[in-house]
Amino acid sequence: MRPSATPPPPPSPSPSSQQPPSPRPPSLSGLLSAAALPSPVTPLSDPRLSRAGVELRLKRDDLIHPLVSGNKWRKLLPNLRAALAEGHTRLLTFGGAYSHHVRAVAAAANACGLSAVGVIRGDELADAPRNWSLRQAEEHGMRLHFVDRATYRRVLGGLDDPETVRRLTERWGPCRVLPEGGSNALAARGAATLVAELREQEWEPGRGALGERDVVCCAVGTGGTLAGIAAALPPGSRALGVAVLRGATYLDGEVSRLHARGWGGRSFTNWRIDHDHHGGGYGRVPAELEAFAADFEQRHGLRVERRYVAKMLRAVHGLAGTGVLPPGTRVTAVVTGPPDPPAAAS
């Protein structure tokens, strides 16, 4: 009996009939692989501060990640973890035309395999040529939705209302909603990791890295970074925030609210916000601030971001030797973000 012939193999499918590969599930791995932690601490020798008896060092959070740096990294990471744990595939957030936070969310979502929507303040921008900041967000795949300022304020002010969140998810689908600047309780807890790093990096025999002479200083836009730093500091150390918005005394209440939500109703008294070095308002860079930043860059060989970091550093210089930063103080100034790229000048 002759053995049966082996049947021929089935024909290979043509490229046009092959199924596309399944998309990779959202993951933090791509984002985490490019991070460099802990961020370094750099002492600076500044004769002007030395004359006032104040020591300065920089916490270089701007070096954490090439695209999601500084306080944006610390505030976004716990929210990204929560989004993935909840099964979300989309982030939705809010910001202005030059928002650092919007760009960071766009880059982080892209690295994690998530989609992103940015609700942008100013409906007149919808048909205008994209500035460098919004262009970067779109290049990372973020969908931009422009609204008038009244609508923007109304929606942003209602994010604590479940009905507002429900309407947003009806419009954009299931998503994790992040407020302007990314400052929620999870973000504040993320910012607290900065202090844990400082305590490990600067340990001194006989006492902790941070003591009664220490003040950790940061710029304040929405309050999340300051809230996290203050909550994590050891007894005796203090936190100083420098408001970058004019007349933003409401930020004191925002920090207290974040403490209550993120730390089980607790309040902290080891912090304050300086409201006198805003440079005229959010996004404003007056001539005197530009001159200070340029001089600082020349003396220390370090490029300085203008809208947040320069204001914070100018406040440190202005307050050195006063009751806020008396002689003997060691200031750790948090560099929360890198300078704007050259494209910003175009």
Side-chain angles (χ1 to χ4, degrees):
M1 180 175 179
R2 295 177 58 188
S4 60
T6 304
S12 298
S14 64
S16 60
S17 67
Q18 290 181 353
Q19 294 296 319
S22 299
R24 290 184 303 166
S27 168
L28 288 173
S29 59
L31 184 70
L32 294 173
S33 64
L37 289 166
S39 63
V41 175
T42 305
L44 284 189
S45 177
D46 194 307
R48 301 176 189 181
L49 295 177
S50 297
R51 286 194 293 270
V54 171
E55 178 185 344
L56 176 65
R57 58 185 187 172
L58 304 182
K59 178 65 168 162
R60 297 292 307 276
D61 269 16
D62 57 312
L63 301 178
I64 290 177
H65 192 278
L67 297 173
V68 188
S69 68
N71 60 340
K72 305 309 177 191
W73 171 273
R74 297 189 189 275
K75 294 198 295 183
L76 275 175
L77 190 59
N79 277 286
L80 289 167
R81 287 196 171 107
L84 295 179
E86 294 163 2
H88 289 300
T89 59
R90 178 179 295 111
L91 305 177
L92 184 144
T93 196
F94 302 79
Y98 290 93
S99 169
H100 295 291
H101 168 71
V102 165
R103 295 198 309 274
V105 169
N110 185 52
C112 294
L114 300 168
S115 65
V117 175
V119 178
I120 307 301
R121 182 179 61 246
D123 55 342
E124 75 279 2
L125 299 171
D127 297 322
R130 298 290 189 256
N131 64 40
W132 66 271
S133 184
L134 295 177
R135 190 165 60 246
Q136 279 191 6
E138 287 188 322
E139 287 171 355
H140 286 296
M142 174 176 274
R143 179 176 178 182
L144 303 180
H145 178 65
F146 298 88
V147 298
D148 64 82
R149 285 161 172 76
T151 301
Y152 183 90
R153 288 192 296 270
R154 184 174 66 252
V155 175
L156 199 62
L159 291 184
D160 288 335
D161 179 8
E163 178 61 20
T164 298
V165 176
R166 185 190 67 78
R167 288 198 297 269
L168 287 171
T169 56
E170 277 188 354
R171 169 69 175 82
W172 298 106
C175 57
R176 183 161 184 87
V177 179
L178 303 176
E180 184 181 59
S183 288
N184 55 19
L186 274 179
R189 299 287 300 195
T193 61
L194 180 148
V195 176
E197 289 182 10
L198 283 175
R199 298 180 77 167
E200 291 182 2
Q201 288 173 299
E202 296 294 314
W203 186 84
E204 297 174 13
R207 72 179 186 89
L210 299 169
E212 293 184 359
R213 73 186 184 106
D214 283 293
V215 174
V216 180
C217 185
C218 68
V220 179
T222 52
T225 300
L226 177 63
I229 289 171
L233 285 174
S237 300
R238 296 174 291 128
L240 172 64
V242 177
V244 301
L245 297 88
R246 183 178 182 178
T249 54
Y250 66 89
L251 286 171
D252 297 78
E254 287 297 303
V255 173
S256 296
R257 181 181 63 85
L258 288 167
H259 280 154
R261 292 188 173 187
W263 281 266
R266 290 183 61 188
S267 62
F268 299 85
T269 60
N270 61 345
W271 60 275
R272 65 180 294 170
I273 299 179
D274 170 82
H275 291 281
D276 296 327
H277 291 85
H278 49 70
Y282 180 74
R284 301 287 181 86
V285 184
E288 57 270 23
L289 178 62
E290 176 60 36
F292 167 84
D295 177 70
F296 188 93
E297 290 177 334
Q298 183 177 17
R299 289 187 294 116
H300 297 293
L302 173 70
R303 292 183 62 216
V304 175
E305 187 274 330
R306 298 311 199 246
R307 294 171 179 83
Y308 291 85
V309 178
K311 294 178 181 182
M312 181 263 300
L313 290 171
R314 190 173 182 226
V316 169
H317 281 72
L319 296 170
T322 70
V324 179
L325 300 176
T329 300
R330 178 173 65 175
V331 176
T332 301
V334 183
V335 182
T336 48
D340 291 340
S346 61

